[in-house]
Each structure stands twice: as structure tokens, then as C-alpha cells.
Amino acid sequence: MTSLDMPTMASSLSFPILPFGSVCGKRSCFATPQSILVDKFRRVVLEVKSSETRECTAMFNCNSRRDFLGLALGVSGLFIHSLEANGAGLPLEEKPKLCDETCEKELENVPMVTTESGLQYKDIKVGQGPSPPVGFQVAANYVAMVPSGQIFDSSLEKGQPYIFRVGSGQVIQGLDEGILSMKIGGKRRLYIPGSLAFPKGLNSAPGRPRVAPSSPVIFDVSLEYIPGLEVDEE
């Protein structure tokens, strides 16, 4: 590094080397402001300096240019923090669902079915054709939620149905049981108790809620098709 590099580095700093109000001899001195924010207030500071009364507007009663500059920087800091707060409050992205607002209202009047295992469900739409036999492959879309309604997994976001062998333990027990009694084209909301859900829980992913061990979950499921069966029954 050459001797010319040091002044260049110092001048690139966004804050003055000496703090505002540091003492030089018998009076306060100020390092030359380097940041863009201070440059914006330079004209105002010079006007205050040339004023004999050293008074600000009626809104502010400043005794010196140091007080005025400090006030200006403080107000600017509040403005910047306000912008950051507004940015943090942006609305969350809407996630695709199987049951929209109209569907939610209609579900309030749909009777709840409770099975011997403790699984509960409401049919959003009753399908047609066969129900899947145990061990058959099914293609289903799902939206998985915690009881508060926050989504922790969804095939809709992945862009394709989930294919698995129903009744063979490839998915949680509550989902297996709930789909076994559905028909092709049907949609159902499953209220799955903790004993039929995730015994070990699920860790939270970015933007996703955590699923505690053996906690209840909710699945909205649509049975899209059963390979090898839907054609035979038509």
C-alpha cells in the first residue's frame, strides 16, 4: 500500500474520523462530514453558522450548529428506521389452497364424520367411481396445515400430485385412512389427531411452521386418479 492510499481510505469512510463535539483547544471542532446524509444538510448548517442569533425555526430551538446537525441526523435516522419497519411489514405471499374462502364458509355447515381411530373429516366434494384398494397407487393433491391454518407442506406448490401406495405406510396413518374411503375427484378435509400424525414431529423450514411431536394436523386432500382403476369403471 502506497502513502497515497491512506488518505483515500480515510476519505471513503461514511463517518468523520473525529466525533462531533470533540475538543480542539478552547473550542469545539468538527471533522469535515463525508457521508451523503451530512452533505445534504451542509447548506442548512452554513446558514445557521452565518446567523447572529443562531436560532432555528420556531419548531426547533437550537443553540448551536452542533445541536442542529445532531438533530438533523437523529431525524434522518428515525426516517430510515421507519422505512425498514415498513419493509418488514409487507404482506405475505398468498399460497395456493384446495379450499378457498367460499369453501371455508360452506364447510361450517358440513357434518363432521369421526372414525373409530379418532380421525375426523368433512367432505368438501364427494367424488365418483371407485375408492382405492389397499396397496394401489393413488395420485393426490394435498395442503398440510397446523391447527392455526399455517401451511407446512403442499403438493400444489410443487406443481404435481403426490403418488404413493395407499394403506401401505408410505404416509402418515391419518392420511392413509382418510384417502381409503374417498372416491376419484373427491375433496376432503382431514382433522388428524396427534396419534395418527407425526410421532417425531417436523422441523420448521424457512417460512414454515414447526410441527410438534404427536400434535394434531389438518390435511385438505383431493383424490385425482387411481392408475389402472378409473378407466375400468367408466
Side-chain angles (χ1 to χ4, degrees):
M1 181 179 294
T2 65
S3 59
L4 296 177
D5 292 330
M6 294 301 294
T8 302
M9 291 180 61
S11 64
S12 66
L13 296 175
S14 59
F15 296 98
I17 297 176
L18 292 177
F20 292 110
S22 59
V23 178
C24 295
K26 296 182 180 179
R27 63 191 183 119
S28 298
C29 65
F30 292 83
T32 304
Q34 300 298 327
S35 67
I36 296 175
L37 182 60
V38 174
D39 288 338
K40 291 182 178 180
F41 291 99
R42 183 177 296 170
R43 181 185 303 175
V44 180
V45 172
L46 291 176
E47 292 176 358
V48 173
K49 179 179 179 182
S50 62
S51 172
E52 294 179 358
T53 60
R54 290 189 177 185
E55 293 181 352
C56 301
T57 62
M59 185 176 181
F60 301 101
N61 184 18
C62 304
N63 296 324
S64 67
R65 61 175 179 172
R66 180 183 63 189
D67 296 336
F68 181 77
L69 185 57
L71 177 63
L73 290 174
V75 172
S76 299
L78 291 174
F79 179 72
I80 293 172
H81 287 303
S82 176
L83 289 178
E84 292 176 351
N86 289 337
L90 290 175
L92 298 177
E93 181 182 357
E94 186 70 20
K95 294 180 173 61
K97 298 179 179 180
L98 286 173
C99 187
D100 58 17
E101 293 183 2
T102 302
C103 166
E104 293 286 356
K105 292 180 180 179
E106 292 175 351
L107 271 181
E108 295 177 1
N109 300 319
V110 175
M112 181 81 76
V113 177
T114 303
T115 69
E116 293 182 0
S117 67
L119 173 70
Q120 294 182 312
Y121 65 84
K122 289 185 176 184
D123 279 317
I124 299 171
K125 176 184 177 183
V126 177
Q128 298 179 347
S131 294
V134 174
F136 267 63
Q137 280 192 334
V138 296
N141 275 310
Y142 67 89
V143 176
M145 300 167 281
V146 294
S148 66
Q150 290 180 289
I151 298 173
F152 65 86
D153 195 10
S154 171
S155 67
L156 299 181
E157 294 181 30
K158 299 169 186 175
Q160 58 185 6
Y162 183 58
I163 298 177
F164 64 98
R165 292 192 179 278
V166 66
S168 61
Q170 293 183 354
V171 296
I172 59 174
Q173 296 179 46
L175 184 56
D176 253 345
E177 180 182 346
I179 288 185
L180 277 171
S181 59
M182 292 180 67
K183 297 180 179 181
I184 297 172
K187 292 183 181 180
R188 177 175 288 183
R189 172 163 292 180
L190 304 174
Y191 301 87
I192 304 175
S195 58
L196 303 178
F198 300 93
K200 297 182 180 180
L202 293 175
N203 293 328
S204 61
R208 306 287 182 174
R210 175 178 176 270
V211 179
S214 298
S215 64
V217 293
I218 298 173
F219 272 69
D220 285 348
V221 184
S222 64
L223 181 56
E224 304 298 333
Y225 58 90
I226 306 171
L229 278 186
E230 71 276 12
V231 175
D232 294 342
E233 297 292 330
E234 288 181 352

